[in-house]
């Protein structure tokens, strides 16, 4: 019987996933046969929030993640809006929408060039066609597109600063609206900055065509044809990435669990003047929903649970976040109990199917956008549902879904800027009820993000946050089912086990901001699994 | 060539994200024009796993000369002093910091967390977070009050939640262009050139402060008035250049109508976010602000305020930042 080499490998740190992610993989004949994602840092934000001012989440939760702090603020404000039954003037909803969109517009080029594309310059790929061109454009710091993309990524958040004072880490969204009251030149400046960003990066560098031409693509086949349509599009960063990504095999691995979650974002101002949990789905422009691989379901936050079976918290709990507990244990003790990450494992109780892990992020959002039955004001977009049904999910498709959103959110932000009515209110002072329960959610650049708050005696009784990173990189649940990213690693072929760049591609395609998990791992108390220990199976 | 290693402990990456908003110089300019060689950065480093660890070990042993060590985030000591709440590259992050800091010519703490503990050190400080050389206002921190880098400097604190990119990039350019000796520090080890002034210095609401005219409501209410009286603005008590060097080249929190939360001072978040303290001015007897401008006392403040209110011209009671 042939001997199969099984190598266990710990990659620590993985880097460029924002925060600390350690990955333990088991390789058999250069194929990943098992994977454990280990979030390795814990700060205890949910513990800090207990007993604090009801509005403390507006200051604290943005600091969970400096990359999507504006998204944290957005959902923290809605958690209080629902708990305090506020009135939110339409202007305030528009400003919140604009700010949320601008944070994401910042993230798209910054993520692509600084975090993702530099791996394409890896020496593994030096024999592929157009490698020199990829290096010329995407090499860190010196690449022509890298420098442009990273520097111009600061532009959309200039718009955020006009409304919120600064980015990152403003707390200008508050229950009842926003703190600012923009003037005419604030709005015209914002319009002009976005226009500049769109011209200089999105159209000139990324697409090589107008955003309207890009948005005519409704199927994956359309995208492939678009890339060959003319010289300008062929030479764009987008088309270069498509060609090179395919040559590098990014379309052949990293698919994941095949089930998706969007908690949705951006509200119709007139439909959400009185934010309620029940009225949320209907008022969303970018819809919430769950796709279980076969059918769509409406999103219902009451079906969300978090498992601590393999996370460094006391016991093996499986609770809805309103009842959620955060009691950390020493990772050393945790390892002895088979636990391996600071991330909890969020699961969704799919009707008729039970608990499922769900992928969050741009691909998930765009799959949900393909669900038929959208209202006239809601986003309907069949492109990525078509992609996962025709070519299937992969690193390449996940990247393209993220980039696609730049065009959509740009158009929305410009539309909302034109809808602001400067002489009307931006804030409606709420009654600060001492008791209540709230739920607020949004879509951070990297996916579904939500807060659950319980107020009692005028202070926070319980505060639980579920980040997109927890959805994606969470460990196995109580049933031993792997999280979405773990599933994405399994089955991947690794060319050079001593330098597994493929693992980097997969992890970064999720844009997991690990700091964003609130709770995270310890790779190495697993002493017996020391790096490069080579075992053998008969 | 100036070598730079940037690591994150109990961090949110906010200082890195803020840094990437920089222009003149941008992050890229620092590398291409000012000869900063980034040995590794958690968001920007090419290497991962064992290859990244080789860099850290070479720096820690002194084999790789390290000019600037930038640390973002708190140093996490828990549980029970083991540092296991924050493992990095195979060991507690605190052990890396202990080995790397003494090898660097200059150690820079970027953001509140690295300076003094910041939000993660808010009561009950669940993971035992400390700053590099302070815990809140108390000197010592992780490295101890006697710590000096190879150039004989204490940790350079660049606080803020996050730090403004210019506060970092201009210091890096100063070091790279031989002006390190011009960096004077205040008693909290912050560069004086940025942190001598107050957040209020340059605030567009300063005339309303002068005449003691309060903003009465958020949103449309912020078209006039000063946020100090009702909304807990800490602009007069906080040292920062937020209204001299604007954020994202556009604005500042106070200009946009958001009260300053005092995030460049070690006590941030003030009052540990206790019920009733968020976005609300703390008052004595329901009228007198508990925290008053630095260097004054309550009696003088109240006498000045009474006179200022009488002196207030009509325009100071009208909307100023209008459509």
């Amino acid at each position: 019987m042939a001997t199969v080499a099984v190598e266990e490998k710990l990659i620590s740190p993985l880097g460029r996933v924002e925060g600390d992610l350690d990955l333990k993989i088991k390789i058999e004949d250069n194929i990943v046969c098992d994977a454990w994602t280990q979030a390795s840092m814990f700060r205890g934000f949910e513990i800090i929030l207990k007993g604090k001012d009801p509005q403390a989440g507006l200051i604290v939760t943005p600091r969970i993640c400096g990359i999507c702090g504006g998204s944290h603020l957005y959902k923290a404000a809605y958690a209080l809006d629902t708990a305090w039954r506020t009135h939110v003037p339409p202007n305030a909803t528009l400003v919140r929408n604009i700010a949320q969109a601008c944070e994401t517009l910042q993230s798209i080029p910054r993520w692509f060039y600084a975090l993702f594309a530099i791996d394409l310059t890896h020496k593994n790929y030096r024999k592929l066609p157009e490698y020199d061109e990829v290096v010329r454009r995407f090499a860190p710091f010196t690449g022509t597109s890298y420098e442009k993309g990273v520097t111009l990524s600061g532009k959309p958040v200039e718009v955020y600063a006009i409304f919120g004072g600064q980015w990152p880490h403003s707390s200008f969204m508050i229950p009842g609206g926003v703190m600012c009251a923009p003037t005419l030149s604030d709005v015209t400046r914002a319009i002009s900055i976005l226009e500049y960003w769109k011209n200089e990066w999105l159209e000139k560098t990324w697409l090589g065509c107008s955003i309207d031409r890009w948005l005519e693509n409704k199927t994956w086949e359309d995208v492939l044809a678009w890339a060959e349509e003319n010289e300008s599009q062929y030479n764009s960063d987008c088309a270069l990435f498509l060609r090179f990504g395919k040559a590098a095999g990014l379309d052949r691995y990293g698919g994941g669990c095949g089930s998706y979650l969007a908690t949705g974002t951006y509200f119709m101002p007139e439909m959400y003047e009185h934010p309620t949990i029940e009225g949320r789905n209907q008022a969303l422009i970018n819809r919430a929903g769950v796709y279980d691989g076969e059918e769509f379901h409406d999103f219902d936050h009451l079906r969300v649970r978090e498992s601590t079976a393999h996370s460094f918290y006391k016991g093996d709990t499986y609770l809805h976040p309103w009842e959620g507990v955060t009691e950390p244990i020493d990772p050393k003790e945790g390892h002895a109990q088979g636990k391996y990450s600071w991330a909890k494992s969020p699961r969704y109780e799919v009707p008729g199917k039970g608990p499922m892990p769900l992928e969050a992020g741009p691909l998930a959002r765009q799959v949900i956008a393909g669900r038929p039955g959208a209202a006239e004001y809601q986003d309907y977009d069949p492109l990525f549902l078509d992609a996962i049904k025709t070519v299937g999910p992969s690193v390449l498709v996940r990247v393209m879904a993220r980039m696609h959103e730049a065009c959509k959110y740009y158009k929305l932000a410009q539309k909302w800027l034109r809808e602001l009515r400067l002489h009307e209110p931006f804030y409606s002072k709420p009654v600060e009820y001492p008791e209540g329960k709230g739920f607020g959610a949004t879509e951070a650049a990297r996916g579904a993000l939500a807060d659950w708050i319980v107020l009692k005696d005028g202070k926070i009784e319980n505060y639980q946050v579920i980040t997109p990173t927890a959805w994606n990189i969470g460990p196995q649940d109580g049933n031993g089912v792997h999280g979405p990213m773990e599933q994405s690693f399994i089955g991947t072929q690794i060319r050079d086990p001593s330098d597994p760049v493929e693992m980097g591609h997969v992890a970064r395609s999720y844009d997991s901001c690990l700091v964003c998990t609130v709770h995270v791992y310890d790779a190495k108390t697993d002493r017996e699994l020391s790096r490069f220990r080579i075992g053998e199976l008969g | 060539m100036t070598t730079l290693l940037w690591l994150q402990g109990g961090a949110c990456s906010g200082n890195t994200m803020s840094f990437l908003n920089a222009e003149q110089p941008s992050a890229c300019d620092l590398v291409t024009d000012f000869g900063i060689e980034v040995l590794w950065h958690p968001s920007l480093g090419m290497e991962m796993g064992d290859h990244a660890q080789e860099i850290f070990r070479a720096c820690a042993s002194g084999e790789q000369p390290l000019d600037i060590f930038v640390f973002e985030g708190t140093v996490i000591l828990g549980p029970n002093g083991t540092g296991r709440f924050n493992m990095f590259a195979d060991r507690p992050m605190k052990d890396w910091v202990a080995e790397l800091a003494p090898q660097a010519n200059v150690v820079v703490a970027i953001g509140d967390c690295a300076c003094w503990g910041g939000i993660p050190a808010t009561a009950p400080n669940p993971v035992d977070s400390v700053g590099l050389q302070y815990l809140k206002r108390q000197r010592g921190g992780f490295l101890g009050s006697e710590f000096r880098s190879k150039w004989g400097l204490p940790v350079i604190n660049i606080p803020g939640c996050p730090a403004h990119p210019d506060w970092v990039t201009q210091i890096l350019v100063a070091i790279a262009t031989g002006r390190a000796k011009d960096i004077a520090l205040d008693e909290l080890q912050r560069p004086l050139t940025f942190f001598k002034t107050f957040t209020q210095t340059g605030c567009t609401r300063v005339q309303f402060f002068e005449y003691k005219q309060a903003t009465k409501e958020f949103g449309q209410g912020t078209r006039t008035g000063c946020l100090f009286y009702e909304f807990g603005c800490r602009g007069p008590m906080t040292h920062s250049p937020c209204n001299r060097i604007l954020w994202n080249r556009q604005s500042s929190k106070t200009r946009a109508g958001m009260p300053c939360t005092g995030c460049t001072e070690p006590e941030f978040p003030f009052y540990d976010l206790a019920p009733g303290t968020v976005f609300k001015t703390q008052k004595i007897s329901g009228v007198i602000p508990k925290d008053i401008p630095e260097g004054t006392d309550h009696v003088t403040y109240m006498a000045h305020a009474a006179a200022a209110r009488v002196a207030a011209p009509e325009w100071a009671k009208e909307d100023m930042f209008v459509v």
Side-chain angles (χ1 to χ4, degrees):
Chain A
M1 194 172 169
T3 302
V4 181
V6 173
E7 186 181 8
E8 280 185 335
K9 183 171 177 60
L10 181 78
I11 304 171
S12 167
L14 195 58
R16 266 180 294 128
V17 285
E18 295 315 328
D20 305 331
L21 176 67
D22 290 354
L23 168 66
K24 194 170 79 179
I25 50 175
K26 195 183 274 188
I27 305 169
E28 203 171 310
D29 283 347
N30 280 18
I31 306 274
V32 177
C33 56
D34 211 344
W36 298 263
T37 50
Q38 312 179 331
S40 60
M41 188 265 285
F42 175 71
R43 289 169 297 167
F45 277 64
E46 293 161 342
I47 299 170
I48 289 171
L49 281 165
K50 260 184 197 292
K52 301 292 162 68
D53 187 287
Q55 298 190 85
L58 304 172
I59 291 181
V60 171
T61 69
R63 271 85 180 190
I64 290 172
C65 172
I67 307 159
C68 41
S71 309
H72 277 279
L73 178 63
Y74 187 96
K75 51 76 176 134
Y78 280 108
L80 282 168
D81 281 320
T82 54
W84 280 351
R85 311 190 288 280
T86 63
H87 169 243
V88 179
N91 269 337
T93 304
L94 290 171
V95 171
R96 291 179 183 186
N97 287 352
I98 292 163
Q100 166 74 82
C102 285
E103 176 172 275
T104 301
L105 293 178
Q106 164 269 140
S107 185
I108 292 169
R110 190 170 289 187
W111 169 82
F112 181 79
Y113 297 104
L115 305 185
F116 185 83
I118 66 175
D119 283 331
L120 300 174
T121 67
H122 194 279
K123 59 178 174 11
N124 273 9
Y125 302 130
R126 66 186 180 280
K127 290 191 178 140
L128 296 183
E130 297 191 274
Y131 177 76
D132 291 344
E133 182 62 12
V134 163
V135 171
R136 194 181 72 77
R137 293 196 208 179
F138 299 155
F141 300 110
T142 53
T144 52
S145 295
Y146 179 100
E147 183 166 9
K148 197 170 182 188
V150 170
T151 305
L152 287 176
S153 70
K155 291 295 161 193
V157 287
E158 290 184 3
V159 174
Y160 196 104
I162 287 173
F163 295 100
Q166 69 178 62
W167 189 93
H169 292 346
S170 177
S171 298
F172 81 108
M173 300 176 198
I174 38 171
V178 291
M179 288 173 170
C180 64
T183 65
L184 176 63
S185 67
D186 289 337
V187 175
T188 53
R189 172 71 67 190
I191 288 171
S192 309
I193 290 171
L194 284 183
E195 175 78 18
Y196 172 76
W197 176 83
K198 184 258 293 179
N199 289 342
E200 288 303 308
W201 176 69
L202 184 52
E203 291 190 342
K204 210 179 276 180
T205 308
W206 178 252
L207 292 175
C209 69
S210 72
I211 55 177
D212 289 326
R213 166 62 195 92
W214 169 264
L215 289 172
E216 285 168 20
N217 296 330
K218 300 296 177 199
T219 65
W220 190 251
E221 211 167 280
D222 289 346
V223 169
L224 300 180
W226 168 91
E228 308 280 336
E229 190 173 77
N230 58 43
E231 202 181 339
S232 168
Q233 286 160 211
Y234 183 89
N235 288 328
S236 68
D237 279 5
C238 179
L240 175 65
F241 167 70
L242 276 169
R243 290 192 299 275
F244 197 78
K246 285 178 88 167
L250 302 187
D251 57 337
R252 295 197 295 273
Y253 62 87
C257 61
S259 45
Y260 302 93
L261 163 75
T263 46
T265 191
Y266 308 132
F267 293 101
M268 271 301 279
E270 292 73 22
M271 294 185 69
Y272 217 45
E273 284 196 59
H274 297 278
T276 61
I277 300 170
E278 300 70 35
R280 190 176 179 278
N281 282 351
Q282 200 55 36
L284 285 166
I285 295 170
N286 283 19
R287 290 175 290 165
V290 169
Y291 181 68
D292 66 15
E294 289 163 349
E295 51 188 342
F296 288 101
H297 306 272
D298 290 344
F299 171 72
D300 176 0
H301 84 93
L302 292 171
R303 293 181 171 274
V304 174
R305 301 285 182 279
E306 279 195 296
S307 161
T308 60
H310 291 92
S311 316
F312 298 134
Y313 303 94
K314 258 184 210 159
D316 175 1
T317 59
Y318 185 69
L319 300 167
H320 181 269
W322 271 336
E323 276 75 49
V325 286
T326 303
E327 294 178 311
I329 59 172
D330 188 330
K332 200 174 172 186
E333 200 183 307
H335 279 291
Q337 301 167 23
K339 294 171 184 264
Y340 61 91
S341 180
W342 281 113
K344 295 177 186 172
S345 317
R347 292 293 181 264
Y348 190 87
E349 292 283 335
V350 177
K353 296 189 175 164
M356 285 181 81
L358 301 173
E359 174 177 337
L363 178 57
R365 284 196 284 271
Q366 294 311 312
V367 167
I368 302 302
R371 183 184 188 179
E376 151 287 313
Y377 55 86
Q378 291 180 316
D379 179 41
Y380 170 72
D381 182 347
L383 175 53
F384 282 88
L385 184 61
D386 175 79
I388 65 160
K389 287 189 166 171
T390 54
V391 294
S394 63
V395 168
L396 184 87
V397 167
R398 193 173 290 115
V399 171
M400 289 301 293
R402 182 180 308 273
M403 305 313 285
H404 174 64
E405 290 189 326
C407 299
K408 298 172 75 169
Y409 296 166
Y410 168 82
K411 284 182 80 103
L412 283 171
Q414 286 286 26
K415 173 172 169 283
W416 294 323
L417 281 164
R418 283 156 178 80
E419 287 172 1
L420 287 170
R421 284 167 294 190
L422 300 179
H423 294 279
E424 288 176 26
F426 288 81
Y427 175 72
S428 194
K429 191 174 163 52
V431 178
E432 301 187 5
Y433 295 105
E435 321 270 319
K437 273 183 172 185
F439 166 72
T442 187
E443 288 288 334
R446 47 200 55 69
L449 173 62
D451 281 2
W452 285 261
I453 188 172
V454 181
L455 299 175
K456 205 179 160 196
D457 301 330
K459 53 190 180 196
I460 293 169
E461 170 83 359
N462 196 9
Y463 206 108
Q464 294 282 318
V465 183
I466 301 187
T467 63
T469 298
W471 280 104
N472 289 331
I473 69 109
Q476 294 171 34
D477 58 29
N479 300 322
V481 176
H482 284 288
M485 195 194 283
E486 290 178 333
Q487 293 192 34
S488 291
F489 290 125
I490 296 169
T492 300
Q493 184 169 10
I494 291 182
R495 248 176 268 201
D496 173 8
S498 77
D499 197 357
V501 64
E502 295 86 352
M503 299 293 93
H505 288 317
V506 173
R508 288 168 200 136
S509 75
Y510 280 94
D511 189 13
S512 51
C513 64
L514 263 238
V515 277
C516 202
T517 61
V518 193
H519 353 128
V520 198
Y521 133 98
D522 163 82
K524 278 287 177 121
T525 37
D526 269 327
R527 265 343 263 185
E528 73 278 9
L529 294 173
S530 57
R531 293 171 295 116
F532 298 114
R533 193 180 65 118
I534 308 250
E536 280 198 337
L537 289 181
Chain B
M1 212 44 133
T2 307
T3 58
L4 181 148
L5 175 67
W6 183 318
L7 296 182
Q8 295 173 342
C12 74
S13 241
N15 293 287
T16 290
M17 287 298 124
S18 186
F19 175 69
L20 291 176
N21 292 334
E23 287 184 11
Q24 294 92 43
S26 66
C28 293
D29 295 338
L30 283 171
V31 172
T32 55
D33 302 342
F34 291 96
I36 303 270
E37 185 191 353
V38 181
L39 297 173
W40 199 78
H41 179 291
S43 296
L44 308 172
M46 271 296 277
E47 294 78 10
M48 60 184 189
D50 302 309
H51 298 286
Q53 289 194 24
E54 280 164 24
I55 298 171
F56 311 147
R57 277 194 292 267
C59 289
S61 69
E63 179 195 332
Q64 163 66 56
L66 176 60
D67 292 306
I68 306 171
F69 176 46
V70 179
F71 195 69
E72 172 178 3
T74 66
V75 181
I76 292 179
L77 304 179
N80 304 315
T82 64
R84 282 196 290 261
F85 280 138
N86 181 19
M87 297 294 285
F88 178 74
D90 222 8
R91 56 203 290 232
M93 176 57 95
K94 73 176 178 64
D95 296 350
W96 284 113
V97 176
E99 286 180 17
L100 289 164
Q103 295 291 348
N105 288 334
V106 181
V107 178
V108 178
I110 181 167
D112 280 5
C113 293
C115 291
W116 16 76
I119 296 255
T122 306
N125 194 354
V127 295
D128 285 334
S129 277
V130 295
L132 284 182
Q133 216 164 8
Y134 285 83
L135 173 57
K136 299 293 170 175
R137 199 169 279 272
Q138 192 186 346
R139 276 199 97 197
F142 178 67
L143 295 171
S145 33
E146 299 311 310
F147 171 83
R148 294 293 179 273
S149 64
K150 276 194 164 169
W151 282 356
L153 297 168
V155 172
I156 296 178
N157 284 331
I158 304 187
C161 192
H164 187 294
D166 286 18
W167 311 344
V168 188
T169 59
Q170 304 307 324
I171 290 295
L172 293 179
V173 172
I175 294 170
T177 57
R179 286 192 171 276
K181 63 181 181 311
D182 286 336
I183 305 170
L185 304 179
D186 71 5
E187 74 285 0
L188 290 169
Q189 298 169 202
R190 302 175 293 195
L192 268 170
T193 188
F194 297 128
F195 295 97
K196 170 75 178 171
T197 55
F198 295 95
T199 304
Q200 196 176 29
T201 312
C203 179
T204 50
R205 297 175 189 278
V206 79
Q207 286 171 304
F208 297 105
F209 182 75
E210 179 69 24
Y211 291 116
K212 307 293 166 223
Q213 300 300 311
T215 299
K216 299 207 171 56
E217 192 180 32
F218 285 128
Q220 57 286 354
T222 62
R223 293 198 188 280
T224 185
C226 172
L227 302 157
F228 170 77
Y229 305 100
E230 298 301 328
F231 299 114
C233 183
R234 302 197 62 87
M237 290 85 75
T238 301
H239 294 274
S240 90
C242 289
N243 280 299
R244 291 193 295 137
I245 302 171
L246 295 182
W247 280 86
N248 312 86
R249 296 165 286 280
Q250 299 299 327
S251 194
S252 72
K253 292 205 287 295
T254 60
R255 289 184 181 202
M258 180 181 160
C260 165
T261 51
C263 78
T264 53
E265 300 294 337
E267 290 80 8
F268 172 80
F270 281 78
Y271 300 105
D272 282 336
L273 304 165
T277 64
V278 173
F279 305 135
K280 292 183 179 80
T281 301
Q282 302 302 295
K283 293 178 188 172
I284 304 164
S285 321
V287 208
I288 310 167
K290 190 171 165 192
D291 299 303
I292 50 173
E294 190 174 299
T296 160
D297 61 75
H298 283 99
V299 175
T300 320
Y301 172 82
M302 289 309 286
H304 174 232
R309 262 183 233 109
V310 173
E314 263 320 292
W315 59 257
K317 294 165 188 175
E318 294 167 4
D319 280 4
M320 181 77 84
F321 312 108
V322 295
V323 177

